[in-house]
């Protein structure tokens, strides 16, 4: 099972999961059909289905176009608002695409109809993969747009947290640096947070993705998976894990990453008027 990580829009990820024996493939969160179809042609695979984590446009907007271009294409999701939906999945439902096995996990919180997809191949030595959409992110979790803190806690701690620790996590957005800056604010003495943030900054500088992480790693630096830990209780002033998470979500919503200092040469050029020809309106 090969996973193609595809950067789209401003900071989204969509994925193409390929069974290398049959060259069958499934797409996750097919937001940009043209880009997806280019990669499908280049990889010489047959698209069998689309798995959509939730109905937001930056994850689901390509479904209708793909369904028109590929009649009979199966589109899976847990929310009737997902475009071109053909199969509404239930929690724990299992799907099969050749040797690829998929377990559908309902994970409300970010939206009321959010789902994650846990994938593996029988008799494969490779670690399983979790396509977590906007539920679990590298170093963070999705904003509570429709769901509650109780739902997000159950989704993270009860559903995703119970998966094998070696599971590779492929999330829906490239938010690693900003999430880890917030994690460092929450736990300024956590050396693993510091190391992961430095690594994520290097990846960002090189225009490389910070996915996948692993579930085991996330438990070491992701504050939203560490709500029972003492530093998180101290930061939030709460002891109940749900209340810790609720407070973290509110703090994260209001978190502003430190502003980058302006380039001194650019500021000097602006002061001397050297940039004025480029700033004049035409």
């Amino acid at each position: 099972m090969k996973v193609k990580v595809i950067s789209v829009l401003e900071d989204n990820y969509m994925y193409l999961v390929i069974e290398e024996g049959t060259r069958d493939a499934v797409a996750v969160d097919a937001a940009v059909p043209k880009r997806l179809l280019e990669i499908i042609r280049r990889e010489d695979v047959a698209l069998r289905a689309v798995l959509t984590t939730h109905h937001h446009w930056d994850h689901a907007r390509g479904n209708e176009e793909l369904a028109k271009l590929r009649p009979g294409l199966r589109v899976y999701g847990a929310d009737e608002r997902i475009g071109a939906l053909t199969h509404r999945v239930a929690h724990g439902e299992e799907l099969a695409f050749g040797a690829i096995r998929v377990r559908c996990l309902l994970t409300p919180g970010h939206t009321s109809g959010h789902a994650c997809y846990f994938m593996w191949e029988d008799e494969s030595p490779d670690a399983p993969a979790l396509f977590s959409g906007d539920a679990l992110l590298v170093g963070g979790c999705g904003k509570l747009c429709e769901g509650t803190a109780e739902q997000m806690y159950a989704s993270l701690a009860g559903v995703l947290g119970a998966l094998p620790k070696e599971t590779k996590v492929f999330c829906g957005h490239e938010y690693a640096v900003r999430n880890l800056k917030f994690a460092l604010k929450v736990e300024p003495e956590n050396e693993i947070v510091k190391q992961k943030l430095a690594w994520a900054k290097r990846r960002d500088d090189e225009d490389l993705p910070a996915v996948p992480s692993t579930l085991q790693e996330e438990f070491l630096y992701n504050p939203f998976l560490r709500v029972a830990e003492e530093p998180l209780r101290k930061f939030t002033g709460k002891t109940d894990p749900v209340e810790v998470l609720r407070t973290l979500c509110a703090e994260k919503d209001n978190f502003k990453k430190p502003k980058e200092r302006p380039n001194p040469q650019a500021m000097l050029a602006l002061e001397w008027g050297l940039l004025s020809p480029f700033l004049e309106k035409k």
Side-chain angles (χ1 to χ4, degrees):
M1 184 174 78
K2 180 169 75 170
V3 178
K4 295 287 293 183
V5 179
I6 308 168
S7 299
V8 294
L9 306 175
E10 184 178 350
D11 51 35
N12 277 73
Y13 287 125
M14 64 179 180
Y15 299 98
L16 186 66
V17 185
I18 301 169
E19 189 200 334
E20 296 189 270
T22 64
R23 306 306 292 169
D24 286 344
V26 295
V28 180
D29 286 351
V32 183
K34 182 178 179 181
R35 182 84 192 282
L36 179 64
L37 292 173
E38 287 173 355
I39 293 172
I40 285 171
R41 284 191 291 269
R42 188 166 69 235
E43 293 287 331
D44 191 25
V45 297
L47 181 65
R48 298 304 183 195
V50 171
L51 308 178
T52 304
T53 59
H54 60 295
H55 75 284
H56 285 167
W57 72 273
D58 56 329
H59 296 260
R61 71 173 192 168
N63 290 359
E64 288 91 345
E65 184 176 343
L66 281 171
K68 291 177 182 176
L69 294 171
R70 301 293 176 96
L73 181 68
R74 290 170 287 173
V75 178
Y76 295 85
D79 193 322
E80 292 292 344
R81 294 173 291 181
I82 292 171
L85 186 72
T86 62
H87 295 74
R88 185 168 181 175
V89 301
H91 184 66
E93 181 177 351
E94 294 197 358
L95 312 171
F97 303 97
I100 298 174
R101 302 288 185 262
V102 182
R103 183 177 303 138
C104 305
L105 303 171
L106 302 194
T107 49
H110 179 61
T111 67
S112 59
H114 194 287
C116 297
Y117 301 99
F118 178 68
M119 295 192 197
W120 73 98
E121 281 187 328
D122 290 334
E123 302 179 5
S124 171
D126 296 334
L130 174 70
F131 296 89
S132 59
D134 287 1
L136 177 63
L137 304 167
V138 175
C141 73
K143 183 181 175 70
L144 297 177
C145 295
E146 296 176 354
T148 65
E150 287 82 0
Q151 288 177 317
M152 184 63 88
Y153 175 75
S155 295
L156 295 177
V159 178
L160 303 184
L163 296 174
K165 296 299 183 284
E166 69 271 18
T167 300
K168 294 180 180 180
V169 180
F170 295 90
C171 62
H173 288 274
E174 184 50 74
Y175 292 163
V177 170
R178 74 179 79 170
N179 284 345
L180 290 163
K181 284 182 177 180
F182 176 70
L184 189 60
K185 176 185 177 182
V186 176
E187 290 190 90
E189 303 304 317
N190 188 325
E191 292 299 323
I192 298 176
V193 172
K194 295 176 185 177
Q195 293 168 14
K196 187 69 175 182
L197 175 56
W199 176 86
K201 286 180 175 178
R202 291 195 298 271
R203 299 289 287 183
D204 189 53
D205 289 342
E206 297 168 7
D207 198 26
L208 294 172
V211 294
S213 60
T214 68
L215 199 57
Q216 185 171 24
E217 292 170 354
E218 293 294 329
F219 274 102
L220 298 177
Y221 54 68
N222 188 327
F224 298 91
L225 288 176
R226 294 173 55 76
V227 292
E229 302 295 328
E230 182 57 33
L232 280 296
R233 294 179 176 185
K234 182 178 179 181
F235 177 82
T236 60
K238 308 292 183 182
T239 55
D240 179 79
V242 172
E243 295 307 316
V244 173
L245 188 139
R246 191 190 316 277
T247 303
L248 283 175
C249 288
E251 290 283 339
K252 179 64 165 57
D253 289 346
N254 295 320
F255 177 69
K256 305 294 184 184
K257 62 182 180 180
K259 292 183 178 179
E260 300 291 340
R261 295 184 62 184
N263 183 286
Q265 287 83 8
M267 292 303 296
L268 190 60
L270 185 62
E271 183 179 342
W272 288 354
L274 299 178
L275 299 180
S276 56
F278 302 100
L279 299 177
E280 291 176 357
K281 293 183 178 179
K282 294 184 179 179

